[in-house]
Structures are given as structure tokens and as C-alpha cells.
């Protein structure tokens, strides 16, 4: 099996366009060999039409059938073996260990959704039984559950070529919900994306899924994504990337004759509030830990800690010094693409060049597409006054904000935009006395972390990876963890419906043994 | 206590504007006495700022405190007595019995949300406990629950001056979630809205809620609503009304620097599929029942059955004849406002004037603001070819679509836009054999009804009042029933958080006794 550079309209490879592009190896600084065919307007339409045709049949498959499909995808990804991992490394510049780890995470996500389907309660069955004798009017029997919304478009993310791309969390959750998926592959890892496409299509064939349950479109510009989001048969969009990109897609979808939801997971500077007790008790340790978190994966995580907020003090001086020292010792690593490095350098220079910003440490040994880590500092007053300091610098950069007093620290938090995460470093005693900080930070973030680092996003039911805008376009949802499935479903109610014709989740005897709300009570009991 | 025509910025009456307006009595055809002060830009900003100030304190109240507030609102609405009911009748033209019924529904909704808070499980607590020994990496403790989004704007609906307006489902659900509410009152029932405002403010004072938890703005145009939706401190919007109005607000919110969710419940023609068995077994009964449903409340329900789809047959001829006869005997009743009547007449004439449309019955005895009911018919082929026939005629009107065969009937369904409801009339045997109709109709609607009428929307946990666009702007939510609370909340996760500082819903011992998901299991047990 080799890379072909084709698009996939369901099972059918297709390369009808004249425009092609190649991926780039950010370590060897060369183009990779395969030429990828940019999807044409006709190919895009054919893929969406096929997805719509597949929708009826796919939505009607049982939870067990969908679960088997997801597990088969995980197996087929593993079966790709070294070919996948080597393509991943040559297209991302990330090390082999990361490739292996991310592949494991991707397979784990697929299996987690398979388990969720087998458990079955995610459909949120709610049942109100009839009360024919109720006064003044009888009450009819009404039951509802979640059902899939229709064909979904997923945009691959540059910074997670596997776990947030072709068979990543968006695709896994949409397929689990019963929605066919059309992926717009990320141009920086089109080969990785084709390998994974082959695995998904093989899994679909092996488990008897309808042709069109998955399609894959190549694209190096914005036209393919735009056409996909505007297609009348597309009912939802998943995206991980920049604020500008995600917001543009969100607005594009809102302007459609029929608006559709766009779940865009975008930027975040992930503020870390260092309270005095943390500096006194273990400031040096935190400084070293954070030097690692700031530079992990060349800073290319959406949960990268880009802002460290504390009170000016002797301990803060020590913290800055240790942090600067630790950063200075970190060897630069390559970024995903020269364009991402260019963006990093521009944003870093923009922020560090603002009035009152002092550079604490700057590495200068980067070559090729490697990024030089930097940490800088600024006063709380300057930070509050200058919105340019609030923007994300995607890469190994963090800004320390030194506040004159707690009131200013709270004001800094109140001036932040929405964030994926907010971290508080403190003793438990100090945390318990700082309800102001917890309340202010909690209103800005999706996930509050105590004495830890924001990098490392566990895939589990309780994970919340999504926060107020611009962290994500819909703060009511998460893009990581099993609750991500809720984005691709809507409730459908059945009124006065015959028992034997109800979906299994809504039948009196509860044949699936799921948790349901029956006449207001949460229960797994039959009726 | 008298009507003052003032706005209410929290507890403070305010009428600083120079523009005033009066409501209209559609039965006596006269203006009502009170002059209402259109809210000024400064008053709007003051109300939102106060809501933001109140948010911290209100969000921190216990579920019991919020429940007491909601119950107190219901009590204070009842305590308004005849003054409220009389104003309702003079502003809506609806009969006293409807006023009483809608007041009961409104109080019932408030109490339903109070009960929901006391039960407590609505916060969807999800807990994943730590696994310090997990390989290759330890797993941290993560727990999440729903928390309120912030100040919410609610637009009063013309057709439900109580149940979908000032203290209606949107307000009750937002207050229950912990969000302060600013109501933009509907200009057609500004007096009813002021009475209810007084009740809410009295309840807030009596139960110790912060000033600003509720504000009320008068408005006769679109400027006040526009400014409210654009205000940076507003975090969500509830709306019930026209497709044009709801869609405009949705897009306005999407264009904000920080987009916010708009839950607009808009138009619907509520298709009713009459399968042959229903006509054979009880066609005459259904015809009479539907004549009542079509003309109920002068057809001014969002679930009004505007489309009846069946196969051409001798039984269908009988059905049309009985339906026409029953409609002809119905006495016209007044609509809410001359402008609504004008819209009804224009849309009715537009639809009934299309090629191939035959008028089956038309009442001609209306006077004043009364609406003349009409039923008409058209072939399936004409309906499919002419999108003008798909538009809602808000009022006592319905269109019978006669299809040549089942394939055409399915095509008619597939050509429909999103709907609040879809009804199937049939024998159980025929329903079980028509999975095509169920599947096609199910993909278009929020609620499927078997052998019933769509009018009559039960307030209960299983209710789904919301469907694919343009029935509503967000088909994943409902505007009726207790799940409406989910619109005003977003998940917040706590990672590695000290036990004693967690919200009660997330503590190991489950002090609230709620249903939670713990390590993937649905349970009420403590950890």
C-alpha cells in the first residue's frame, strides 16, 4: 500500500483536479515526495451527496455495529505500522516517540467512544409516561433521546496530525453519534491523513458500513473548506486551529440560508495564577516544571501556559530567575512548518516589543524550523492597559505578569478573554481564602487546575476542553473526552408512540439497561 | 399598585426617554391607556451592567435559594390577581379562560424549575477519580458540572403574553441556571409585562436576591433588542417569534466580537401525514379534530398544523369535505394585533393564490381584528415544485397536500424545512410498515406525534420544543420543558481540586444525593 495523493469520495479514490501540493519536512527542510490533488468542486459535492445517502443507513445501524466500526478503525490504524509513523514524522518534524504516543491516544479515543456506545446512556433518554386521568387535561406519553444531526465536516488540526485530525476526536465522536464524516485534511500532513483515511475505509468495509460514511478531501487553501461548510447537506462542523480561522468558519456557517453549528477549538493563553504561598513553599520547583510545560512539543499545544500571573515580591524575583535559567537550558526543537515558525517569531516579537515588557530569557541557538523559547515579564498595570499583551503566541513563549496587589491580580483576570484552562498554584489554605480568584478565573475558563500544569489533556468523561470565546466557538461543548459526542446529536421526542415501534432506548422494559430519566427520576429500572 | 409605563433597571423604575408607545386592544379596537417609555441606550447599558454585578452573587446562591425565588415569582404572579388577567385580555384579545390557563402554565413552569433545582441532577456532574499508579502516566482527578453562562436577554413573545414572555420558560430556565435576566418586553403586551416584572422584583426582594437579577426594558421597535444582543456583557439570548426576527438576531450575535448563543424558536408549519388507514378507520373524526386544532387560539400557536399530507383517494375526498365543512362552521376570533391579522391575510392570499391551489373552505364573517379561517389543497407535485407553498401562514390556515403515491409523499416530506413537530395519523400496523415515512419525517422535526394533534405542548422533562432550522436556531435545545435550563449553562471542570473546596455536586460523599457519572458509571452512590 502506498500514498497516492488522491481524494476519497467514500471508497473511491479521485484526483480530477489540476492543482496539486506537497507536504514539507521541517527537520530535513525538504518537500516530501507525494503530490496531493486538491479536491475539486465536483468532488466535494459528490462526497457530501454520498454522505447524505449513507446517513439514513448509518444512522439506523445499532450501537454495537457503530462500536465495532470504531474499534476496527483503531485496529486498522495500528495495522498501518511504521508506514504511518514515518510519514507522521516526516510531515510534522515531531519525534517518533510523540508519533507513537499520539497514535496510542487516537486509538484510545476511538475505543473510548466504542465503550460509550456499548454502555448506551449517552442518548439521554427521558420518558414521561401518560396520565390519562389527569385534571383538567390528560397527559400524553412523551419520550425523547439524542439522534444524529446528519453529515459532518471535520477540519484536521496542524498540531495533532493524528489525535485531532483525520480519525481524531471530532471524527470519532461524530461517527459514534451516527453522523457520516467528510474530513478536510490538513495540508501540512496530507500523507498522514491519507494513511488514516485508508484505515478508516478498510474498517468501514470490514464492518459493513455504507459507502460514504467517510470521505476525505485534500486542500492547501481555504476554498475546499469554505465550500464544504456552505454545502446545504452539511449539518455540523468540527475545527481545531486559529481564532481567525475558526471565527471565519463560524460566521460563514451563521450566514448560510440554514445556519449550522461550528465547534471550533481555537486559541488560548491558559493563564496560571501563582499565589504567594506557592512561591514560598515550592517556587523553584514550579519554575522548573513550568519551563518544561512552556516548551513541551515546541509550545505547540492549545493548553500551553502562555501567561503566569502573580504578585511582585522577592519570591517572584527568585521564581523568574529560576524559570529564566531553566528556559535558557532548553534545546530548541523544530516547529511543524516554516509558516508556523514565522507566525511564532512575529507574535513573539510583537508581544516582547511592547512598552514595559522585559525579556527574562531567550534561547538563540535555533536552526532550520526550530523555535527559540522565550519568557518575558510585564507589570499588571501594563498588561491591563495593553490588549496586545493578551494575544496568544503559539509556540514556546510565556509572559509573567507581576501585579502590585491582589486587587490588580483580580483585575488582570477579569480583563482576560475566554480560555481553555486556568491554573492556580497555591497552598490549600490560601486557595480556600481566595474565593475571589477562583470565581473570577472560573468565569473565564473551561477547566480549572489546582497545583498542576495545563498541558496534558486526559481523554475521559469529565474532561472539559472548550471554554468561553475565543477559546472555543461554543463553550457548552468539549472537543476532548466522551461528551464530545453531544455536539453531533439533537433530541427527538416521540409522543403517544406505540411501544414496539419506539427506539430500544425508549422502550418500557429498558432493553439496553441504560440510565434514563423516567417521570423526573434518574433510574436504570424498567417501567 | 398601578401600571407606570416605566422600565426597570433592577429594582429602580426608569423612564428617561422621550419616546413612548401604547398597547392596543384588538377586541375593542382602541389603544389602552398607559404610555410606556421606550428604553434609552443609557438605561439598557445600566441594566446590563447591573446584571453583570448581580451575576457573581446570584450564581453563588444555593439551589434551594434559587428554587425559593422561582416559587416566590409564581406566588407573586398569582397575587397580582385580576389586575394581571384584565390587562392580559385587553392587550391580547384572548379570552379570560385562556388568560387563566396561561397564568397557570406560567406558574407551573416556574415550580417545575424549582423542583428541578431541588432534585439537583441537572448539573450533569461527571467525575473521574485519580489513578496515581496508572502506566505510562498517572491520571489526575477531574470533575465537571454545569455552571451559568452570565447575563441573558429574553425577548417576550407576542403569542404567549405570559408563558413565553416576561416570566415565561426562557426567563424561568435562565434564572434557574443561575443567570440574571434582562427582558425586552413585547410591545403588544407591555402592560402585562410590567405587571409580571413587578411580581418578579417583589419575589427577588422577598427572597434576598441581588438587585439586577432581573431587569425589564420597554421597546416598540428593533433598536432596544439590537443594543441588548450586541452588549458585550450579555452572554446568551432567548427569543420566540418570526423566522426573520430570530434569524436576524442569530446573525447579529454571530457577528459580535465575542459571538454568543441565540436560542430562537421560530416558525413551523407542523406537517401532519395522514396515512390511508387513518382515513379508512376514522377519517371523519380526524377531520373534525383538526378543524379544531387549526383554528385553536385563532391559529396563533407555533405548533399549529399548517400542512396535511396524504394520498389522493376517495377517502381523502371525504376527509377534505368534512374538514371544509367543520372549518366553515367555526366562528372567527380576534388575532393579537391588527399587524398580525395583516400578515395573516397577506400570507394566506399569497399561498392560496399560487398555481394549482384550490380553496376548500373560507370563512367570511370576520370583523375588526378577527381572522377568517381557511383550508386549501394542492397536489404533491405542485407542492414540491413551489417553495412558496412551504412558508408558514401564521393564523387559522392549513394546506392539504394530495400525493399521487407513497414515493411522492416521501419526496414532499424530504422537501420540507425543519419543523417543531411532525404528526403521523395511521393504524399501528400501517405505522410499523412505513419506516420510510418515520425516518424521513424524523429527520425534519423535533417531536414526532402519533395519532394526535401538535397543538398542546406539555411542560415536562421529555418535551422537545425545538427542531432543525428554521423551526429553531439551535435544534440541540428545547424552549419548553425542564431541559430548557441546559441552554444557559456550560461545563466547568475542576482538576486536582481539594475535596473541601469543590462544589457540593462534585464532592466524594455526594451530599446533594444527585445522579452522577463516576468513572463512566451512572450512579447516585457516594465515592
Amino acid at each position: 500500500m502506498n500514498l497516492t495523493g488522491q481524494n476519497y469520495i467514500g471508497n473511491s479514490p479521485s484526483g480530477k483536479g489540476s492543482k496539486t501540493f506537497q507536504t514539507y519536512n521541517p527537520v530535513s527542510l525538504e518537500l516530501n515526495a507525494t503530490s496531493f490533488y486538491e479536491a475539486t468542486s465536483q468532488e466535494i459535492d459528490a462526497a457530501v451527496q454520498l454522505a447524505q445517502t449513507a446517513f439514513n443507513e448509518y444512522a439506523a445501524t445499532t450501537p454495537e455495529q457503530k462500536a465495532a466500526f470504531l474499534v476496527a478503525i483503531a485496529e486498522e490504524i495500528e495495522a498501518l505500522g511504521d508506514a504511518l509513523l514515518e510519514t507522521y514524522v516526516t510531515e510534522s518534524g515531531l519525534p517518533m516517540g510523540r508519533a507513537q504516543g499520539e497514535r496510542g491516544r487516537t486509538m484510545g479515543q476511538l475505543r473510548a467512544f466504542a465503550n460509550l456506545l456499548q454502555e448506551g446512556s449517552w442518548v439521554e433518554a427521558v420518558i414521561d409516561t401518560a396520565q390519562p386521568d389527569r385534571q383538567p387535561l390528560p397527559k400524553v406519553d412523551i419520550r425523547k433521546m439524542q439522534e444524529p444531526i446528519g453529515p459532518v465536516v471535520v477540519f484536521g488540526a496542524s498540531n495533532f496530525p493524528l489525535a485531532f485530525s483525520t480519525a481524531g476526536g471530532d471524527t470519532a465522536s461524530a461517527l459514534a453519534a451516527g453522523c457520516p464524516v467528510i474530513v478536510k485534511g490538513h495540508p501540512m500532513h496530507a500523507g498522514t491523513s491519507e494513511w488514516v483515511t485508508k484505515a478508516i475505509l478498510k474498517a468501514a468495509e470490514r464492518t459493513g458500513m455504507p459507502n460514504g460514511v467517510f470521505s476525505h478531501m485534500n486542500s492547501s487553501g481555504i476554498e475546499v473548506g469554505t465550500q464544504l461548510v456552505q454545502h446545504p447537506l452539511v449539518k455540523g462542523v468540527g475545527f481545531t486551529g486559529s481564532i481567525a480561522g475558526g471565527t471565519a468558519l463560524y460566521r460563514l456557517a451563521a450566514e448560510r440560508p440554514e445556519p449550522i453549528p461550528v465547534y471550533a477549538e481555537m486559541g488560548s493563553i491558559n493563564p496560571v495564577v501563582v499565589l504567594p504561598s506557592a512561591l514560598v513553599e515550592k517556587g523553584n520547583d514550579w519554575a522548573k516544571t513550568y519551563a518544561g510545560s512552556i516548551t513541551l512539543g515546541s509550545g505547540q499545544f492549545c493548553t500551553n501556559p502562555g501567561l503566569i500571573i502573580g504578585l511582585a515580591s522577592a519570591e517572584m524575583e527568585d521564581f523568574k530567575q529560576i524559570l529564566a535559567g531553566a528556559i535558557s537550558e532548553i534545546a530548541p526543537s523544530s516547529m511543524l512548518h516554516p509558516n508556523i515558525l514565522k507566525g511564532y517569531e512575529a507574535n513573539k516579537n510583537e508581544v516582547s516589543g511592547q512598552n514595559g515588557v522585559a525579556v527574562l530569557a531567550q534561547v538563540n541557538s535555533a536552526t532550520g524550523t526550530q523555535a527559540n523559547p522565550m519568557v518575558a515579564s510585564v507589570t499588571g498595570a501594563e498588561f491591563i492597559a495593553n490588549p496586545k499583551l493578551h494575544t496568544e503566541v503559539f509556540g514556546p513563549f510565556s509572559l509573567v505578569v507581576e501585579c502590585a496587589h491582589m486587587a490588580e491580580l483580580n483585575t488582570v483576570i477579569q480583563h482576560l478573554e475566554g480560555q481553555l484552562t486556568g491554573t492556580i498554584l497555591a497552598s490549600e489554605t490560601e486557595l480556600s481564602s481566595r474565593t475571589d480568584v477562583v470565581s473570577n478565573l472560573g468565569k473565564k475558563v473551561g477547566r480549572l487546575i489546582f497545583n498542576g500544569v495545563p498541558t496534558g489533556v486526559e481523554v475521559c468523561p469529565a474532561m472539559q476542553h472548550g471554554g468561553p470565546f475565543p477559546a472555543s466557538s461554543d463553550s457548552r461543548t468539549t472537543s476532548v473526552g466522551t461528551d464530545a459526542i453531544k455536539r453531533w446529536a439533537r433530541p427527538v421526542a416521540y409522543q403517544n408512540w406505540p411501544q414496539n415501534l419506539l427506539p430500544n432506548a425508549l422502550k418500557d422494559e429498558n432493553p439496553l439497561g441504560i440510565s434514563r430519566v423516567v417521570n423526573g427520576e434518574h433510574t436504570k429500572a424498567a417501567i
Side-chain angles (χ1 to χ4, degrees), chain A:
Chain A
M1 211 160 65
N2 285 306
L3 291 178
T4 68
Q6 305 269 302
N7 302 287
Y8 290 83
I9 301 168
N11 300 331
S12 309
S14 179
K16 295 190 175 145
S18 53
K19 191 172 164 193
T20 61
F21 64 94
Q22 290 166 268
T23 61
Y24 183 79
N25 184 329
V27 173
S28 72
L29 309 181
E30 305 168 309
L31 287 169
N32 294 306
T34 311
S35 283
F36 294 90
Y37 293 86
E38 185 103 4
T40 66
S41 184
Q42 288 71 26
E43 287 169 330
I44 293 166
D45 185 58
V48 179
Q49 296 281 356
L50 193 63
Q52 173 65 19
T53 306
F55 177 43
N56 272 342
E57 188 180 339
Y58 185 57
T61 58
T62 65
E64 289 74 19
Q65 288 172 311
K66 290 187 195 79
F69 176 33
L70 296 174
V71 169
I73 296 173
E75 290 166 352
E76 295 296 341
I77 287 173
E78 192 162 35
L80 291 168
D82 289 347
L84 172 66
L85 299 174
E86 283 160 13
T87 303
Y88 175 107
V89 169
T90 59
E91 290 186 327
S92 69
L94 295 168
M96 183 54 82
R98 161 73 188 266
Q100 287 163 333
E102 196 179 326
R103 182 179 65 173
R105 182 187 180 94
T106 306
M107 290 160 50
Q109 287 178 159
L110 288 158
R111 293 199 167 104
F113 283 107
N115 291 339
L116 187 78
L117 294 180
Q118 273 155 344
E119 197 281 328
S121 303
W122 80 271
V123 298
E124 297 177 0
V126 183
I127 297 174
D128 289 302
T129 55
Q131 298 174 21
D133 302 329
R134 190 184 64 172
Q135 294 300 327
L137 288 171
K139 183 179 175 190
V140 290
D141 185 287
I142 308 181
R143 302 167 185 231
K144 74 173 169 183
M145 63 180 286
Q146 297 288 333
E147 303 199 357
I149 57 174
V152 159
V153 168
V154 170
F155 286 74
S158 67
N159 61 340
F160 277 89
L162 291 171
F164 282 81
S165 280
T166 318
D170 284 348
T171 297
S173 58
L175 290 177
C179 299
V181 171
I182 303 119
V183 164
K184 190 212 80 78
H186 198 284
M188 291 183 192
H189 55 256
T192 305
S193 208
E194 184 179 354
W195 282 125
V196 175
T197 296
K198 287 172 187 282
I200 297 172
L201 294 177
K202 205 163 166 187
E205 199 184 349
R206 174 148 77 80
T207 56
M209 294 296 139
N211 187 22
V213 71
F214 184 83
S215 289
H216 185 269
M217 301 283 111
N218 295 317
S219 138
S220 62
I222 65 164
E223 297 79 9
V224 171
T226 300
Q227 190 184 337
L228 281 167
V229 171
Q230 290 181 320
H231 199 292
L233 295 176
V234 168
K235 299 300 180 193
V237 177
F239 171 89
T240 303
S242 70
I243 294 177
T247 306
L249 289 181
Y250 180 84
R251 297 202 170 120
L252 192 66
E255 288 300 325
R256 287 167 46 119
E258 176 194 351
I260 55 172
V262 171
Y263 303 103
E265 195 265 88
M266 304 181 286
S268 202
I269 52 176
N270 302 294
V272 179
V273 179
V274 195
L275 292 178
S277 58
L279 292 178
V280 171
E281 289 176 15
K282 45 182 282 193
N284 292 5
D285 292 346
W286 283 128
K288 288 172 195 160
T289 300
Y290 267 84
S293 178
I294 292 163
T295 55
L296 190 70
S298 229
Q300 298 169 113
F301 290 109
C302 22
T303 52
N304 192 58
L307 202 66
I308 298 170
I309 310 165
L311 298 185
S313 68
E315 290 81 8
M316 178 54 93
E317 290 303 319
D318 293 344
F319 174 85
K320 288 194 299 184
Q321 202 181 324
I322 306 281
L323 176 63
I327 288 283
S328 303
E329 284 166 25
I330 284 172
S333 55
S334 68
M335 297 197 84
L336 292 158
H337 194 271
N339 289 346
I340 292 186
L341 174 63
K342 206 190 283 179
Y344 170 63
E345 291 294 340
N347 291 330
K348 184 177 72 170
N349 293 338
E350 169 87 5
V351 168
S352 62
Q354 297 296 308
N355 262 350
V357 175
V359 173
L360 301 177
Q362 167 154 236
V363 179
N364 280 310
S365 55
T367 60
T369 58
Q370 291 176 343
N372 282 315
M374 179 193 277
V375 284
S377 73
V378 73
T379 65
E382 292 274 7
F383 184 86
I384 292 164
N386 187 351
K388 281 195 179 153
L389 298 173
H390 305 196
T391 49
E392 183 184 11
V393 179
F394 188 74
F397 173 88
S398 196
L399 182 66
V400 178
V401 180
E402 291 178 278
C403 302
H405 41 65
M406 283 305 300
E408 188 175 275
L409 185 145
N410 274 305
T411 307
V412 165
I413 296 172
Q414 288 170 332
H415 273 72
L416 294 174
E417 295 183 292
Q419 307 288 339
L420 288 170
T421 72
T423 302
I424 300 178
L425 308 181
S427 68
E428 285 197 24
T429 310
E430 189 171 23
L431 182 71
S432 71
S433 71
R434 292 262 60 117
T435 52
D436 51 349
V437 172
V438 176
S439 169
N440 286 326
L441 193 60
K443 290 192 172 55
K444 297 289 182 182
V445 309
R447 176 163 56 114
L448 283 164
I449 299 153
F450 178 61
N451 284 349
V453 293
T455 42
V457 183
E458 188 72 33
V459 180
C460 63
M463 176 48 65
Q464 175 58 20
H465 192 66
F469 187 90
S472 47
S473 58
D474 187 338
S475 68
R476 299 157 299 168
T477 63
T478 179
S479 67
V480 176
T482 43
D483 273 353
I485 196 173
K486 296 185 183 182
R487 301 175 297 167
W488 316 115
R490 65 181 180 90
V492 176
Y494 296 80
Q495 180 171 319
N496 191 38
W497 214 255
Q499 265 296 316
N500 60 323
L501 301 179
L502 281 167
N504 284 334
L506 300 179
K507 286 180 175 158
D508 275 356
E509 64 267 32
N510 194 13
L512 304 177
I514 60 177
S515 181
R516 313 191 290 189
V517 179
V518 178
N519 296 323
E521 285 289 317
H522 294 252
T523 176
K524 290 182 188 170
I527 294 169

